[in-house]
Each structure stands twice: as C-alpha cells, then as structure tokens.
Amino acid sequence: DGMSSTRFGGELNTTRGQIVTILWRLTGEPRATKRNPFTDVSSSQYYYDAISWAYDAGVVDGFDARTFKPDQNVTREQLAAILYRYALISGKDAEKTADLSGYADQGSISDWAAQAVQWACGSGLVTSIAQNSGMLLAPKDTTTRVQAATLMMRALLREMLQIASG
C-alpha cells in the first residue's frame, strides 16, 4: 500500500512494523499461535497481527524481551536479518553467501547480522553503494520505501526463478 491512493512515498524511511507487515501480507496474513511479548506493540495498531506472527514464526526478535520498536526506521542490516530469517522459515535457499572483505565498512556490521548480510549479498538481494572511500554496505543506514520495495521484488523474483528451474 502507498501512503495514500495517489502517493507511494518512496523517499520516506521504512519502519520495522511496515517491513514485517509487508512480509506478513506476502505470506497470506497467517495467524500467530501465541501473543507477542512486546509492550510497545499495541493490539490497536495495523502491525499487531503481523508482528505477532513474525515473532511466533521466528522471523523477528525484539531489542529485548519486551521491546520491538515497530515505529523505528529499519536499518539495512535489520532488513537483511529479517529477510534471512524469513527465507529460513519459508524453506527457501539460505545457503548462498558472499565474501564481504572487499567492502570498506564490513567491520561495522553487527555480529548478530553478519550471516544475514553475507546471505543477502550472496543472494543478490543487497547491493553496495559506491562512495569515494570504496564500496559500502552501509549496514546502519535506514531503508527507504523504494529500497525496501526493490529488495522485496528481488526476493520474489529469486523465488519465482527457483520454482521455475526446480
């Protein structure tokens, strides 16, 4: 969905709640078998069912046992981790990885996200950003709606190609 019936808002940042809602919708809006533990995810918010499902399925974790921060902008490494876990629970190929040593900022990837970023690069979902200092992954940068839509499209195309070739 867009920000309105005539505006996508591609330049706007994507929140953690929005990303999880997109995946939930792509999965057919499944119901969670248990309630999520996050006190900052109100049952009156549009993302409640999505975050409950994603937590229950193992697609997302919180910042701690009680906090998810659904309205916080999602970073590139967080998005890679969410998509990686989604691939794992969906039975998708999650074994391709890339050598990240050629990226000037590879040392700034959080330990918890390293495997997911390697997978996202190896799968062709995430590409680098050319800067004067070299090729960057920019793992701490936020993700715009256009960037998120591009990654989702790449993931869907990758899935369709796997089905067609298998």
Side-chain angles (χ1 to χ4, degrees):
D1 291 336
M3 302 307 291
S4 73
S5 62
T6 59
R7 184 169 181 267
F8 180 67
E11 75 287 356
L12 301 174
N13 286 321
T14 308
T15 67
R16 292 169 47 83
Q18 289 170 337
I19 289 295
V20 172
T21 300
I22 293 166
L23 287 177
W24 176 68
R25 288 177 179 159
L26 287 172
T27 309
E29 300 183 7
R31 293 275 178 225
T33 58
K34 58 186 173 188
R35 294 174 58 129
N36 75 63
F38 305 122
T39 57
D40 61 346
V41 178
S42 169
S43 62
S44 65
Q45 293 296 319
Y46 74 90
Y47 45 63
Y48 178 81
D49 289 336
I51 292 171
S52 296
W53 161 78
Y55 174 77
D56 190 30
V59 175
V60 297
D61 290 324
F63 281 81
D64 57 45
R66 310 286 289 161
T67 309
F68 183 74
K69 299 183 182 181
D71 298 317
Q72 181 176 359
N73 293 332
V74 70
T75 65
R76 290 169 55 95
E77 69 180 1
Q78 288 171 351
L79 181 55
I82 290 168
L83 292 176
Y84 177 67
R85 289 186 204 125
Y86 181 75
L88 290 174
I89 66 121
S90 300
K92 309 291 187 273
D93 177 17
E95 303 210 2
K96 291 183 181 176
T97 60
D99 177 11
L100 303 181
S101 62
Y103 297 100
D105 61 347
Q106 61 92 19
S108 65
I109 299 168
S110 299
D111 290 342
W112 55 264
Q115 185 174 10
V117 173
Q118 288 175 320
W119 166 80
C121 290
S123 297
L125 298 181
V126 171
T127 58
S128 58
I129 300 167
Q131 296 282 328
N132 291 338
S133 58
M135 298 306 288
L136 303 176
L137 291 169
K140 307 289 193 249
D141 284 5
T142 57
T143 306
T144 65
R145 290 172 54 85
V146 165
Q147 291 168 334
T150 300
L151 261 71
M152 295 294 179
M153 187 58 132
R154 286 179 187 156
L156 289 173
L157 287 173
R158 182 177 163 269
E159 182 178 332
M160 288 172 27
L161 290 173
Q162 285 179 346
I163 291 169
S165 66

